[in-house]
Amino acid sequence: MEGSRIPRHVAVIMDGNGRWAKKRLLPRGAGHKAGMNRMIALSEHIFDRGVTFCTLYALSTENLSRPKEELDGLYALFREYFPRNTQTLKKKNITLKVIGDRALLPADVVRLICEGEALTAGGTRGTLLLAIGYGGRQDILSAVNAAVRQGREVGMEEFSAMLSTGDIPEPDLLIRTGGEVRLSNFLLWQSAYSELYFTDVLFPDFSDKELDRALEVYAGRERRFGKI
Ligand code: FPP
């Protein structure tokens, strides 16, 4: 791959599963299944490329208003794939962390999340963050409320550490698949200086090669963080 600058943290908005299925005259659930398989393969490839933190936007707070049938299908996929894949992460020495409002998720899904986090805790090769029931505004608001409860003003770094991403560095590269050009409430505070990469490729088609293309584009960007 051209360019040696590898982003430390890559965040991905995985969009386009439904349209991928529609194009093939398949039910939306088939798109999510294909997306799930791609998500697993991609998260292996991303760490092989030297990225240390990867955040995947699996389910937003807004996605939770989708029809019950679709959500049930997503949770069923999660139950089927998640335990097996946390074993893989453990073997690969990768820590799993789930961000988002767990009160919005079914109890058994939350239990699996806790087990997966406990199993992979302390993995030193990298950290995979899965955003489930996550909203950037909610993340900011709950940190604000925590500061208010403490009855004091907080500084920038302290505030960042109060977000659900804690002391994880901000994303260097934020990718959105599926053709929409917006952040949709993802990591709003944390992405202030992220390089943005939008592609029309639907998530199930976002191959390892497509990721390498995004990494190449990133390597060619000049980051100035507001300076000259
Ligand atoms: C976006 O495609 C994808 C999602 C909303 C779900 C992604 C989740 C997984 C792959 C599985 C993980 C499951 C859990 C519960 C963590 P879309 O449906 O918005 O596609 P469209 O814009 O083409 O309709």
Side-chain angles (χ1 to χ4, degrees):
M1 190 177 58
E2 273 295 308
S4 57
R5 276 192 331 137
I6 300 288
R8 186 153 60 140
H9 183 174
V10 175
V12 187
I13 301 178
M14 307 182 290
D15 196 15
N17 291 350
R19 278 164 287 159
W20 183 92
K22 193 171 177 193
K23 261 174 60 180
R24 289 164 178 74
L25 306 177
L26 294 169
R28 290 180 60 81
H32 289 316
K33 187 165 184 165
M36 182 66 128
N37 281 311
R38 191 80 282 276
M39 176 172 110
I40 292 162
L42 194 69
S43 52
E44 292 207 5
H45 181 68
I46 221 161
F47 291 110
D48 286 345
R49 280 284 177 259
V51 170
T52 345
F53 300 92
C54 171
T55 304
L56 302 174
Y57 203 9
L59 212 56
S60 70
T61 36
E62 292 72 26
N63 288 153
L64 295 172
S65 315
R66 289 192 178 189
K68 184 179 179 307
E69 193 193 344
E70 177 160 346
L71 288 178
D72 285 348
L74 279 170
Y75 294 135
L77 269 180
F78 183 85
R79 292 179 187 107
E80 184 186 341
Y81 283 76
F82 187 78
R84 189 173 350 133
N85 284 286
T86 50
Q87 300 282 353
T88 310
L89 291 173
K90 166 84 181 158
K91 279 193 206 112
K92 290 185 176 282
N93 198 19
I94 290 166
T95 298
L96 173 81
K97 192 172 148 52
V98 175
I99 56 173
D101 186 352
R102 296 183 188 189
L104 303 173
L105 306 175
D108 69 315
V109 166
V110 174
R111 199 165 50 245
L112 289 175
I113 288 172
C114 295
E115 286 168 9
E117 287 183 330
L119 180 73
T120 61
T124 52
R125 184 166 167 234
T127 301
L128 178 67
L129 285 100
L130 259 189
I132 308 180
Y134 177 84
R137 286 179 173 173
Q138 292 83 342
D139 198 3
I140 293 168
L141 196 59
S142 71
V144 168
N145 285 330
V148 168
R149 277 195 299 276
Q150 291 176 19
R152 63 192 184 90
E153 291 187 6
V154 290
M156 194 87 90
E157 277 183 24
E158 198 184 352
F159 184 77
S160 293
M162 291 164 81
L163 297 168
S164 62
T165 38
D167 55 6
I168 285 170
E170 291 172 2
D172 301 294
L173 171 64
L174 192 153
I175 297 170
R176 181 172 187 147
T177 68
E180 311 290 357
V181 187
R182 54 176 171 258
L183 293 180
S184 297
N185 206 11
F186 186 45
L187 300 177
L188 297 180
W189 172 278
Q190 298 90 331
S191 64
Y193 278 99
S194 303
E195 292 296 324
L196 307 180
Y197 179 88
F198 296 97
T199 169
D200 288 337
V201 175
L202 304 173
F203 184 70
D205 293 329
F206 190 73
S207 59
D208 292 353
K209 232 173 133 183
E210 291 291 344
L211 175 78
D212 288 346
R213 203 190 309 271
L215 293 177
E216 255 174 57
V217 169
Y218 172 84
R221 297 251 182 108
E222 189 194 345
R223 302 186 78 196
R224 291 194 300 276
F225 299 95
K227 303 186 180 81
I228 53 170

